[in-house]
Amino acid sequence: MSTAMNFSTKSFKARPPDKGAFPLDHFGECAAFKERFLECLRESGSESSACRPRAMAYLQCRMERQLMANEPLEKLGFKDLIDEKPEAKPEKL
């Protein structure tokens, strides 16, 4: 008995990747940031909290070069590392 496969005529529709999936850095645009982060991990015995500023710099590099979606660093867990500047509020007259 043979099995016939019936392929529908629907065409494949590309969709953007799920959150967390992003293009590889084929041209090594952020390789220096990645290496500094990995070096920090090696030096700190894989203690990632000691390397958070380098992780933040790496993610900023990726966002600037469109290698991942732009996200506020606060949403990525770096709120405590960001120097929050008070916004100038207009004075009431």
Side-chain angles (χ1 to χ4, degrees):
M1 195 179 341
S2 67
T3 304
M5 298 189 100
N6 185 8
F7 295 103
S8 65
T9 58
K10 293 180 182 177
S11 63
F12 175 74
K13 292 183 181 177
R15 64 180 182 85
D18 295 332
K19 187 171 183 162
F22 43 81
L24 297 175
D25 187 4
H26 292 291
F27 301 110
E29 298 174 71
C30 298
F33 292 96
K34 179 184 76 171
E35 288 304 316
R36 282 187 224 125
F37 173 69
L38 293 174
E39 178 184 330
C40 178
L41 284 177
R42 284 189 292 272
E43 291 172 355
S44 68
S46 298
E47 181 62 42
S48 62
S49 61
C51 305
R52 291 182 67 236
R54 292 183 186 188
M56 184 175 76
Y58 174 63
L59 293 175
Q60 283 178 311
C61 176
R62 290 191 62 86
M63 287 187 282
E64 289 168 2
R65 288 161 179 81
Q66 306 301 310
L67 294 171
M68 67 181 282
N70 282 326
E71 289 280 342
L73 291 170
E74 294 87 1
K75 276 183 84 175
L76 296 174
F78 297 106
K79 185 174 183 165
D80 59 322
L81 296 180
I82 299 169
D83 294 328
E84 295 185 36
K85 297 178 183 175
E87 295 182 37
K89 295 181 181 178
E91 292 182 27
K92 294 181 181 178
L93 297 175

PDB file of all heavy atoms in Angstrom, residues 24-56:
ATOM      1  N   LEU A  24      22.022  36.199  14.227  1.00  0.00           N
ATOM      2  CA  LEU A  24      23.398  36.029  14.673  1.00  0.00           C
ATOM      3  C   LEU A  24      24.234  37.214  14.226  1.00  0.00           C
ATOM      4  O   LEU A  24      23.914  37.886  13.252  1.00  0.00           O
ATOM      5  CB  LEU A  24      23.975  34.737  14.095  1.00  0.00           C
ATOM      6  CG  LEU A  24      23.292  33.451  14.543  1.00  0.00           C
ATOM      7  CD1 LEU A  24      23.887  32.270  13.795  1.00  0.00           C
ATOM      8  CD2 LEU A  24      23.433  33.264  16.034  1.00  0.00           C
ATOM      9  N   ASP A  25      25.297  37.440  14.913  1.00  0.00           N
ATOM     10  CA  ASP A  25      26.211  38.542  14.601  1.00  0.00           C
ATOM     11  C   ASP A  25      27.248  38.022  13.596  1.00  0.00           C
ATOM     12  O   ASP A  25      28.399  37.786  13.929  1.00  0.00           O
ATOM     13  CB  ASP A  25      26.867  39.028  15.896  1.00  0.00           C
ATOM     14  CG  ASP A  25      27.694  40.279  15.706  1.00  0.00           C
ATOM     15  OD1 ASP A  25      27.718  40.831  14.593  1.00  0.00           O
ATOM     16  OD2 ASP A  25      28.322  40.713  16.690  1.00  0.00           O
ATOM     17  N   HIS A  26      26.816  37.843  12.345  1.00  0.00           N
ATOM     18  CA  HIS A  26      27.679  37.254  11.322  1.00  0.00           C
ATOM     19  C   HIS A  26      28.946  38.065  11.058  1.00  0.00           C
ATOM     20  O   HIS A  26      29.973  37.506  10.707  1.00  0.00           O
ATOM     21  CB  HIS A  26      26.909  37.079  10.012  1.00  0.00           C
ATOM     22  CG  HIS A  26      25.837  36.051  10.095  1.00  0.00           C
ATOM     23  ND1 HIS A  26      26.107  34.706  10.216  1.00  0.00           N
ATOM     24  CD2 HIS A  26      24.491  36.164  10.096  1.00  0.00           C
ATOM     25  CE1 HIS A  26      24.975  34.030  10.269  1.00  0.00           C
ATOM     26  NE2 HIS A  26      23.974  34.892  10.209  1.00  0.00           N
ATOM     27  N   PHE A  27      28.859  39.369  11.189  1.00  0.00           N
ATOM     28  CA  PHE A  27      30.007  40.219  10.871  1.00  0.00           C
ATOM     29  C   PHE A  27      30.826  40.580  12.102  1.00  0.00           C
ATOM     30  O   PHE A  27      31.755  41.371  12.020  1.00  0.00           O
ATOM     31  CB  PHE A  27      29.539  41.487  10.144  1.00  0.00           C
ATOM     32  CG  PHE A  27      28.814  41.173   8.865  1.00  0.00           C
ATOM     33  CD1 PHE A  27      27.455  41.390   8.765  1.00  0.00           C
ATOM     34  CD2 PHE A  27      29.486  40.631   7.778  1.00  0.00           C
ATOM     35  CE1 PHE A  27      26.776  41.087   7.598  1.00  0.00           C
ATOM     36  CE2 PHE A  27      28.820  40.319   6.608  1.00  0.00           C
ATOM     37  CZ  PHE A  27      27.456  40.552   6.520  1.00  0.00           C
ATOM     38  N   GLY A  28      30.477  40.044  13.247  1.00  0.00           N
ATOM     39  CA  GLY A  28      31.243  40.282  14.460  1.00  0.00           C
ATOM     40  C   GLY A  28      31.211  41.719  14.942  1.00  0.00           C
ATOM     41  O   GLY A  28      32.152  42.192  15.569  1.00  0.00           O
ATOM     42  N   GLU A  29      30.110  42.399  14.686  1.00  0.00           N
ATOM     43  CA  GLU A  29      30.004  43.808  15.064  1.00  0.00           C
ATOM     44  C   GLU A  29      30.062  44.008  16.580  1.00  0.00           C
ATOM     45  O   GLU A  29      30.502  45.045  17.044  1.00  0.00           O
ATOM     46  CB  GLU A  29      28.697  44.398  14.523  1.00  0.00           C
ATOM     47  CG  GLU A  29      28.606  44.378  13.014  1.00  0.00           C
ATOM     48  CD  GLU A  29      27.261  44.838  12.538  1.00  0.00           C
ATOM     49  OE1 GLU A  29      26.985  46.052  12.659  1.00  0.00           O
ATOM     50  OE2 GLU A  29      26.475  43.997  12.066  1.00  0.00           O
ATOM     51  N   CYS A  30      29.605  43.025  17.331  1.00  0.00           N
ATOM     52  CA  CYS A  30      29.585  43.138  18.795  1.00  0.00           C
ATOM     53  C   CYS A  30      30.501  42.098  19.450  1.00  0.00           C
ATOM     54  O   CYS A  30      30.375  41.829  20.646  1.00  0.00           O
ATOM     55  CB  CYS A  30      28.150  42.991  19.308  1.00  0.00           C
ATOM     56  SG  CYS A  30      27.051  44.285  18.709  1.00  0.00           S
ATOM     57  N   ALA A  31      31.411  41.545  18.676  1.00  0.00           N
ATOM     58  CA  ALA A  31      32.288  40.482  19.186  1.00  0.00           C
ATOM     59  C   ALA A  31      33.158  40.967  20.343  1.00  0.00           C
ATOM     60  O   ALA A  31      33.385  40.226  21.305  1.00  0.00           O
ATOM     61  CB  ALA A  31      33.158  39.932  18.062  1.00  0.00           C
ATOM     62  N   ALA A  32      33.639  42.202  20.277  1.00  0.00           N
ATOM     63  CA  ALA A  32      34.500  42.723  21.350  1.00  0.00           C
ATOM     64  C   ALA A  32      33.728  42.800  22.662  1.00  0.00           C
ATOM     65  O   ALA A  32      34.259  42.453  23.723  1.00  0.00           O
ATOM     66  CB  ALA A  32      35.050  44.092  20.975  1.00  0.00           C
ATOM     67  N   PHE A  33      32.470  43.220  22.599  1.00  0.00           N
ATOM     68  CA  PHE A  33      31.635  43.299  23.801  1.00  0.00           C
ATOM     69  C   PHE A  33      31.392  41.900  24.363  1.00  0.00           C
ATOM     70  O   PHE A  33      31.432  41.675  25.565  1.00  0.00           O
ATOM     71  CB  PHE A  33      30.299  43.976  23.493  1.00  0.00           C
ATOM     72  CG  PHE A  33      30.431  45.429  23.165  1.00  0.00           C
ATOM     73  CD1 PHE A  33      30.489  45.853  21.853  1.00  0.00           C
ATOM     74  CD2 PHE A  33      30.497  46.384  24.170  1.00  0.00           C
ATOM     75  CE1 PHE A  33      30.611  47.194  21.543  1.00  0.00           C
ATOM     76  CE2 PHE A  33      30.611  47.727  23.872  1.00  0.00           C
ATOM     77  CZ  PHE A  33      30.677  48.134  22.556  1.00  0.00           C
ATOM     78  N   LYS A  34      31.113  40.965  23.459  1.00  0.00           N
ATOM     79  CA  LYS A  34      30.864  39.588  23.881  1.00  0.00           C
ATOM     80  C   LYS A  34      32.107  38.996  24.549  1.00  0.00           C
ATOM     81  O   LYS A  34      32.010  38.358  25.599  1.00  0.00           O
ATOM     82  CB  LYS A  34      30.471  38.732  22.678  1.00  0.00           C
ATOM     83  CG  LYS A  34      30.227  37.274  23.020  1.00  0.00           C
ATOM     84  CD  LYS A  34      29.938  36.447  21.798  1.00  0.00           C
ATOM     85  CE  LYS A  34      31.241  36.209  21.071  1.00  0.00           C
ATOM     86  NZ  LYS A  34      31.178  35.272  19.984  1.00  0.00           N
ATOM     87  N   GLU A  35      33.273  39.230  23.964  1.00  0.00           N
ATOM     88  CA  GLU A  35      34.513  38.690  24.524  1.00  0.00           C
ATOM     89  C   GLU A  35      34.811  39.281  25.901  1.00  0.00           C
ATOM     90  O   GLU A  35      35.255  38.573  26.800  1.00  0.00           O
ATOM     91  CB  GLU A  35      35.685  38.917  23.570  1.00  0.00           C
ATOM     92  CG  GLU A  35      35.630  38.046  22.337  1.00  0.00           C
ATOM     93  CD  GLU A  35      35.541  36.559  22.663  1.00  0.00           C
ATOM     94  OE1 GLU A  35      36.265  36.088  23.559  1.00  0.00           O
ATOM     95  OE2 GLU A  35      34.742  35.872  22.011  1.00  0.00           O
ATOM     96  N   ARG A  36      34.563  40.586  26.070  1.00  0.00           N
ATOM     97  CA  ARG A  36      34.774  41.210  27.380  1.00  0.00           C
ATOM     98  C   ARG A  36      33.843  40.604  28.429  1.00  0.00           C
ATOM     99  O   ARG A  36      34.240  40.366  29.564  1.00  0.00           O
ATOM    100  CB  ARG A  36      34.567  42.718  27.306  1.00  0.00           C
ATOM    101  CG  ARG A  36      35.758  43.417  26.710  1.00  0.00           C
ATOM    102  CD  ARG A  36      35.608  44.926  26.806  1.00  0.00           C
ATOM    103  NE  ARG A  36      36.021  45.458  25.514  1.00  0.00           N
ATOM    104  CZ  ARG A  36      35.309  46.250  24.741  1.00  0.00           C
ATOM    105  NH1 ARG A  36      34.148  46.694  25.140  1.00  0.00           N
ATOM    106  NH2 ARG A  36      35.765  46.648  23.583  1.00  0.00           N
ATOM    107  N   PHE A  37      32.605  40.336  28.033  1.00  0.00           N
ATOM    108  CA  PHE A  37      31.654  39.720  28.949  1.00  0.00           C
ATOM    109  C   PHE A  37      32.101  38.304  29.324  1.00  0.00           C
ATOM    110  O   PHE A  37      32.108  37.933  30.498  1.00  0.00           O
ATOM    111  CB  PHE A  37      30.251  39.696  28.328  1.00  0.00           C
ATOM    112  CG  PHE A  37      29.253  38.934  29.139  1.00  0.00           C
ATOM    113  CD1 PHE A  37      28.816  39.412  30.365  1.00  0.00           C
ATOM    114  CD2 PHE A  37      28.745  37.728  28.688  1.00  0.00           C
ATOM    115  CE1 PHE A  37      27.899  38.705  31.131  1.00  0.00           C
ATOM    116  CE2 PHE A  37      27.830  37.015  29.439  1.00  0.00           C
ATOM    117  CZ  PHE A  37      27.406  37.498  30.660  1.00  0.00           C
ATOM    118  N   LEU A  38      32.495  37.510  28.329  1.00  0.00           N
ATOM    119  CA  LEU A  38      32.929  36.141  28.594  1.00  0.00           C
ATOM    120  C   LEU A  38      34.205  36.111  29.424  1.00  0.00           C
ATOM    121  O   LEU A  38      34.367  35.256  30.300  1.00  0.00           O
ATOM    122  CB  LEU A  38      33.121  35.386  27.275  1.00  0.00           C
ATOM    123  CG  LEU A  38      31.834  35.134  26.477  1.00  0.00           C
ATOM    124  CD1 LEU A  38      32.163  34.506  25.129  1.00  0.00           C
ATOM    125  CD2 LEU A  38      30.869  34.274  27.262  1.00  0.00           C
ATOM    126  N   GLU A  39      35.092  37.059  29.179  1.00  0.00           N
ATOM    127  CA  GLU A  39      36.317  37.162  29.985  1.00  0.00           C
ATOM    128  C   GLU A  39      35.974  37.446  31.440  1.00  0.00           C
ATOM    129  O   GLU A  39      36.538  36.858  32.365  1.00  0.00           O
ATOM    130  CB  GLU A  39      37.209  38.265  29.424  1.00  0.00           C
ATOM    131  CG  GLU A  39      38.479  38.504  30.193  1.00  0.00           C
ATOM    132  CD  GLU A  39      39.258  39.686  29.636  1.00  0.00           C
ATOM    133  OE1 GLU A  39      39.171  39.961  28.436  1.00  0.00           O
ATOM    134  OE2 GLU A  39      39.946  40.345  30.442  1.00  0.00           O
ATOM    135  N   CYS A  40      35.029  38.331  31.647  1.00  0.00           N
ATOM    136  CA  CYS A  40      34.587  38.662  33.000  1.00  0.00           C
ATOM    137  C   CYS A  40      34.004  37.430  33.681  1.00  0.00           C
ATOM    138  O   CYS A  40      34.281  37.170  34.855  1.00  0.00           O
ATOM    139  CB  CYS A  40      33.560  39.788  32.955  1.00  0.00           C
ATOM    140  SG  CYS A  40      32.898  40.244  34.572  1.00  0.00           S
ATOM    141  N   LEU A  41      33.214  36.662  32.958  1.00  0.00           N
ATOM    142  CA  LEU A  41      32.645  35.433  33.526  1.00  0.00           C
ATOM    143  C   LEU A  41      33.739  34.451  33.937  1.00  0.00           C
ATOM    144  O   LEU A  41      33.668  33.842  35.005  1.00  0.00           O
ATOM    145  CB  LEU A  41      31.701  34.760  32.535  1.00  0.00           C
ATOM    146  CG  LEU A  41      30.322  35.380  32.356  1.00  0.00           C
ATOM    147  CD1 LEU A  41      29.547  34.637  31.272  1.00  0.00           C
ATOM    148  CD2 LEU A  41      29.551  35.389  33.654  1.00  0.00           C
ATOM    149  N   ARG A  42      34.753  34.315  33.100  1.00  0.00           N
ATOM    150  CA  ARG A  42      35.854  33.409  33.437  1.00  0.00           C
ATOM    151  C   ARG A  42      36.590  33.881  34.683  1.00  0.00           C
ATOM    152  O   ARG A  42      36.907  33.094  35.570  1.00  0.00           O
ATOM    153  CB  ARG A  42      36.829  33.288  32.265  1.00  0.00           C
ATOM    154  CG  ARG A  42      36.326  32.407  31.135  1.00  0.00           C
ATOM    155  CD  ARG A  42      37.400  32.144  30.104  1.00  0.00           C
ATOM    156  NE  ARG A  42      37.777  33.333  29.356  1.00  0.00           N
ATOM    157  CZ  ARG A  42      37.185  33.750  28.237  1.00  0.00           C
ATOM    158  NH1 ARG A  42      36.184  33.063  27.725  1.00  0.00           N
ATOM    159  NH2 ARG A  42      37.593  34.827  27.618  1.00  0.00           N
ATOM    160  N   GLU A  43      36.853  35.193  34.746  1.00  0.00           N
ATOM    161  CA  GLU A  43      37.594  35.749  35.878  1.00  0.00           C
ATOM    162  C   GLU A  43      36.804  35.686  37.187  1.00  0.00           C
ATOM    163  O   GLU A  43      37.384  35.558  38.259  1.00  0.00           O
ATOM    164  CB  GLU A  43      37.999  37.188  35.591  1.00  0.00           C
ATOM    165  CG  GLU A  43      39.058  37.319  34.519  1.00  0.00           C
ATOM    166  CD  GLU A  43      39.312  38.761  34.121  1.00  0.00           C
ATOM    167  OE1 GLU A  43      38.604  39.672  34.617  1.00  0.00           O
ATOM    168  OE2 GLU A  43      40.213  38.988  33.295  1.00  0.00           O
ATOM    169  N   SER A  44      35.492  35.791  37.085  1.00  0.00           N
ATOM    170  CA  SER A  44      34.664  35.824  38.287  1.00  0.00           C
ATOM    171  C   SER A  44      34.129  34.446  38.674  1.00  0.00           C
ATOM    172  O   SER A  44      33.296  34.350  39.579  1.00  0.00           O
ATOM    173  CB  SER A  44      33.495  36.791  38.099  1.00  0.00           C
ATOM    174  OG  SER A  44      32.595  36.278  37.138  1.00  0.00           O
ATOM    175  N   GLY A  45      34.600  33.410  38.005  1.00  0.00           N
ATOM    176  CA  GLY A  45      34.100  32.066  38.318  1.00  0.00           C
ATOM    177  C   GLY A  45      32.641  31.899  37.950  1.00  0.00           C
ATOM    178  O   GLY A  45      31.883  31.299  38.697  1.00  0.00           O
ATOM    179  N   SER A  46      32.256  32.431  36.823  1.00  0.00           N
ATOM    180  CA  SER A  46      30.879  32.358  36.296  1.00  0.00           C
ATOM    181  C   SER A  46      29.865  33.081  37.174  1.00  0.00           C
ATOM    182  O   SER A  46      28.685  32.754  37.172  1.00  0.00           O
ATOM    183  CB  SER A  46      30.451  30.905  36.076  1.00  0.00           C
ATOM    184  OG  SER A  46      31.283  30.304  35.110  1.00  0.00           O
ATOM    185  N   GLU A  47      30.306  34.076  37.926  1.00  0.00           N
ATOM    186  CA  GLU A  47      29.403  34.903  38.739  1.00  0.00           C
ATOM    187  C   GLU A  47      28.862  36.014  37.841  1.00  0.00           C
ATOM    188  O   GLU A  47      29.505  37.047  37.659  1.00  0.00           O
ATOM    189  CB  GLU A  47      30.150  35.469  39.942  1.00  0.00           C
ATOM    190  CG  GLU A  47      29.302  36.316  40.853  1.00  0.00           C
ATOM    191  CD  GLU A  47      28.149  35.541  41.466  1.00  0.00           C
ATOM    192  OE1 GLU A  47      28.345  34.391  41.871  1.00  0.00           O
ATOM    193  OE2 GLU A  47      27.060  36.106  41.516  1.00  0.00           O
ATOM    194  N   SER A  48      27.683  35.799  37.278  1.00  0.00           N
ATOM    195  CA  SER A  48      27.155  36.719  36.277  1.00  0.00           C
ATOM    196  C   SER A  48      26.820  38.102  36.832  1.00  0.00           C
ATOM    197  O   SER A  48      26.884  39.089  36.108  1.00  0.00           O
ATOM    198  CB  SER A  48      25.925  36.124  35.600  1.00  0.00           C
ATOM    199  OG  SER A  48      24.905  35.916  36.542  1.00  0.00           O
ATOM    200  N   SER A  49      26.481  38.194  38.114  1.00  0.00           N
ATOM    201  CA  SER A  49      26.125  39.500  38.668  1.00  0.00           C
ATOM    202  C   SER A  49      27.311  40.459  38.646  1.00  0.00           C
ATOM    203  O   SER A  49      27.121  41.676  38.536  1.00  0.00           O
ATOM    204  CB  SER A  49      25.576  39.360  40.080  1.00  0.00           C
ATOM    205  OG  SER A  49      26.543  38.803  40.932  1.00  0.00           O
ATOM    206  N   ALA A  50      28.528  39.937  38.711  1.00  0.00           N
ATOM    207  CA  ALA A  50      29.712  40.795  38.653  1.00  0.00           C
ATOM    208  C   ALA A  50      29.934  41.350  37.250  1.00  0.00           C
ATOM    209  O   ALA A  50      30.651  42.332  37.079  1.00  0.00           O
ATOM    210  CB  ALA A  50      30.943  40.004  39.093  1.00  0.00           C
ATOM    211  N   CYS A  51      29.302  40.747  36.249  1.00  0.00           N
ATOM    212  CA  CYS A  51      29.533  41.114  34.850  1.00  0.00           C
ATOM    213  C   CYS A  51      28.343  41.826  34.209  1.00  0.00           C
ATOM    214  O   CYS A  51      28.291  41.978  32.992  1.00  0.00           O
ATOM    215  CB  CYS A  51      29.876  39.860  34.057  1.00  0.00           C
ATOM    216  SG  CYS A  51      31.260  38.943  34.726  1.00  0.00           S
ATOM    217  N   ARG A  52      27.398  42.246  35.015  1.00  0.00           N
ATOM    218  CA  ARG A  52      26.190  42.864  34.468  1.00  0.00           C
ATOM    219  C   ARG A  52      26.463  44.111  33.635  1.00  0.00           C
ATOM    220  O   ARG A  52      25.826  44.294  32.599  1.00  0.00           O
ATOM    221  CB  ARG A  52      25.194  43.156  35.582  1.00  0.00           C
ATOM    222  CG  ARG A  52      24.621  41.849  36.142  1.00  0.00           C
ATOM    223  CD  ARG A  52      23.584  42.049  37.220  1.00  0.00           C
ATOM    224  NE  ARG A  52      22.403  42.673  36.666  1.00  0.00           N
ATOM    225  CZ  ARG A  52      21.884  43.810  37.125  1.00  0.00           C
ATOM    226  NH1 ARG A  52      22.413  44.416  38.152  1.00  0.00           N
ATOM    227  NH2 ARG A  52      20.812  44.314  36.564  1.00  0.00           N
ATOM    228  N   PRO A  53      27.406  44.992  34.029  1.00  0.00           N
ATOM    229  CA  PRO A  53      27.661  46.160  33.166  1.00  0.00           C
ATOM    230  C   PRO A  53      28.148  45.755  31.771  1.00  0.00           C
ATOM    231  O   PRO A  53      27.780  46.377  30.777  1.00  0.00           O
ATOM    232  CB  PRO A  53      28.746  46.930  33.924  1.00  0.00           C
ATOM    233  CG  PRO A  53      28.574  46.523  35.351  1.00  0.00           C
ATOM    234  CD  PRO A  53      28.135  45.095  35.296  1.00  0.00           C
ATOM    235  N   ARG A  54      28.930  44.694  31.697  1.00  0.00           N
ATOM    236  CA  ARG A  54      29.409  44.231  30.391  1.00  0.00           C
ATOM    237  C   ARG A  54      28.284  43.575  29.602  1.00  0.00           C
ATOM    238  O   ARG A  54      28.224  43.696  28.384  1.00  0.00           O
ATOM    239  CB  ARG A  54      30.578  43.278  30.569  1.00  0.00           C
ATOM    240  CG  ARG A  54      31.795  44.003  31.101  1.00  0.00           C
ATOM    241  CD  ARG A  54      32.967  43.105  31.225  1.00  0.00           C
ATOM    242  NE  ARG A  54      34.088  43.818  31.871  1.00  0.00           N
ATOM    243  CZ  ARG A  54      35.291  43.340  31.977  1.00  0.00           C
ATOM    244  NH1 ARG A  54      35.576  42.150  31.507  1.00  0.00           N
ATOM    245  NH2 ARG A  54      36.229  44.040  32.562  1.00  0.00           N
ATOM    246  N   ALA A  55      27.394  42.881  30.275  1.00  0.00           N
ATOM    247  CA  ALA A  55      26.235  42.291  29.600  1.00  0.00           C
ATOM    248  C   ALA A  55      25.349  43.396  29.036  1.00  0.00           C
ATOM    249  O   ALA A  55      24.855  43.301  27.913  1.00  0.00           O
ATOM    250  CB  ALA A  55      25.449  41.415  30.566  1.00  0.00           C
ATOM    251  N   MET A  56      25.161  44.464  29.818  1.00  0.00           N
ATOM    252  CA  MET A  56      24.356  45.592  29.368  1.00  0.00           C
ATOM    253  C   MET A  56      24.986  46.243  28.136  1.00  0.00           C
ATOM    254  O   MET A  56      24.294  46.544  27.159  1.00  0.00           O
ATOM    255  CB  MET A  56      24.208  46.621  30.487  1.00  0.00           C
ATOM    256  CG  MET A  56      23.304  47.775  30.124  1.00  0.00           C
ATOM    257  SD  MET A  56      23.022  48.924  31.482  1.00  0.00           S
ATOM    258  CE  MET A  56      24.572  49.807  31.506  1.00  0.00           C
TER     259      MET A  56
END
